[in-house]
Amino acid sequence: MAVTKWYYIGVPCGDKKTLCSFLQINRNMHQGNQTSISEFLLLGLSNETEKQNLLYVLFLGMYLVTVVGNGLIILAIGLDSYLHTPMYLFLANLSFADISSISTSVPKMLMNIQTKRQSISYESCITQMYFSIVFVVIDNFLLGVMAYDRFVAICHPLNYTTIMQPRLCILLTIIPWVLSNIVALTHTLLLLELCFCDNNTLSHFFCDLASLLKLSCSDTMINELVLFIVGLSVITFPFALILFSYICIVRAVLIISSTEGKWKAFSTCASHLTVVLLFYGTIVGVYFFPSSTHPDDRDKIGAVLFTVVTPMMNPFIYSLRNKDIKGTLRKLINRKTSCL
C-alpha cells in the first residue's frame, strides 16, 4: 500500500497532521496564533428542503415554549415574595440557564434554515461552543444543588432555615456559574491551539466541541483527554451529591409511619428526579466518552435532547405542576385581567 507523503518547501512530512503542525508553527512565527479558515458550515439536522421546513416549525415552536415557560417561572418567582426561598432561587437559575442554553443554538439554526445559508464565522462558532458548554455544565451543577436542598428539607426539616441561610444559598448559586465558566474556558483555550485545514464542514446544527475536535487536522489527544477527565469530574461530583441526597431521603421517608406523609415527601422530589434522569441519560451518551466513539447521528440526537427537549420539558416536569407556581401565575393573570 502506497504511503502518501506531504511536502512543504521541500521538507517531507509523514502525514497530513505533521504538515498541519509544520504550517501552524510557520504561520505562528509570522502572523500569531490564527486558524487557517475564517468560517464553518453547519449542515444542520437535514439537507432535504421538505424536512427543513418541518424542522423550522418544530424547533421554532419548541423554542417559544421553552422561553415562555421558563420566563413565566422566573417572573412568578421574582414577583411573589412567598416564593423567595432557596428551592425557588435555584429553580429560577435553572430556568434562566435553560433559556440561555436553547438560545445558544436554536436561533442560529432557524436563521440558517430561513436564509438558506449554513455559514458561521470562526469567532461566532467558538463563542457558541463556549456558551453551550457553560449552560450544559451549570444545569448539571444546579441539579446537584437542588438535590442537596431537598435533602436538607426532608432529612433536617427543623434545621432547614438555619442550614440554608442566605449566604450559603448565594454561594451555592454563584459556585456553579464560576465552575461552568472555568470548564468552558479550559476547553476553549485548548481548542484555539488546534489547526483547521481545508475541511470546514460541521455535521451538526451548532458548534459542538466534539464535532470541532473531529474536524481539526491537529493532534487532539490532549483535548480528548481533558474532555474525558473534566467531563468525568463534572458528571461524577454532582451525580454523587444527588445519589447521596436521595439515599438519605429514601431512608428518612421510610421512617415516616403514615402513607400520606411518605407520599407527600416523595412528591416533592418526583419532578426533580425525573429531570435528573432525563438530563443524565442523554448527556452521558454524548459527552462522557471521547468524541471518536460516537456516530454523527447519535451526537445530534443527544444534543437535541439535552439542549432543546430537556429545557422545554423542565417547566412542565418540575415547575408548572407545582401548586405554588401555578397559584402565583393565576394571581398574575387575574391581576392583569382586572386591569384591562
Side-chain angles (χ1 to χ4, degrees), residues 59-294:
F59 276 78
L60 178 61
M62 288 194 293
Y63 180 72
L64 293 176
V65 169
T66 302
V67 172
V68 172
N70 286 287
L72 286 173
I73 292 169
I74 296 172
L75 181 65
I77 293 172
L79 295 180
D80 192 345
S81 59
Y82 177 75
L83 300 179
H84 293 177
T85 62
M87 181 179 73
Y88 291 111
L89 170 65
F90 303 139
L91 181 57
N93 274 268
L94 182 67
S95 295
F96 178 76
D98 285 340
I99 292 174
S100 303
S101 178
I102 196 172
S103 296
T104 59
S105 57
V106 172
K108 176 61 179 174
M109 185 187 73
L110 295 176
M111 186 177 72
N112 286 352
I113 295 175
Q114 186 70 21
T115 60
K116 301 187 185 305
R117 292 185 60 188
Q118 298 176 315
S119 62
I120 181 172
S121 68
Y122 176 81
E123 293 78 11
S124 298
C125 187
I126 298 300
T127 302
Q128 187 183 60
M129 182 208 73
Y130 178 90
F131 284 108
S132 67
I133 295 173
V134 166
F135 296 119
V136 167
V137 173
I138 198 170
D139 267 11
N140 189 30
F141 284 128
L142 283 173
L143 288 175
V145 169
M146 294 167 81
Y148 174 74
D149 174 74
R150 292 298 83 205
F151 156 72
V152 176
I154 295 175
C155 298
H156 305 281
L158 299 179
N159 298 323
Y160 180 77
T161 55
T162 305
I163 297 173
M164 301 299 291
Q165 294 182 358
R167 183 178 297 179
L168 178 61
C169 293
I170 293 172
L171 194 63
L172 291 175
T173 303
I174 293 175
I175 288 177
W177 286 97
V178 173
L179 290 179
S180 61
N181 276 276
I182 291 174
V183 170
L185 186 62
T186 301
H187 288 307
T188 302
L189 292 177
L190 287 174
L191 185 73
L192 292 175
E193 297 297 321
L194 299 181
C195 176
F196 294 93
C197 302
D198 297 332
N199 187 11
N200 68 336
T201 303
L202 287 170
S203 181
H204 219 300
F205 66 96
F206 74 103
C207 291
D208 174 61
L209 174 59
S211 298
L212 287 168
L213 292 181
K214 290 179 184 178
L215 196 63
S216 173
C217 50
S218 298
D219 185 2
T220 60
M221 183 183 68
I222 299 298
N223 301 74
E224 295 280 2
L225 182 62
V226 172
L227 178 61
F228 179 79
I229 294 173
V230 174
L232 181 65
S233 302
V234 165
I235 290 175
T236 300
F237 290 118
F239 185 77
L241 179 59
I242 292 170
L243 188 61
F244 169 79
S245 298
Y246 275 103
I247 289 174
C248 295
I249 287 171
V250 170
R251 291 176 60 185
V253 169
L254 292 177
I255 298 175
I256 300 175
S257 57
S258 67
T259 305
E260 184 180 352
K262 290 180 180 179
W263 174 251
K264 185 177 180 180
F266 269 126
S267 64
T268 62
C269 304
S271 297
H272 174 261
L273 190 57
T274 304
V275 173
V276 166
L277 293 175
L278 179 62
F279 182 84
Y280 279 95
T282 54
I283 197 173
V284 167
V286 178
Y287 281 120
F288 188 80
F289 298 102
S291 61
S292 58
T293 62
H294 300 285

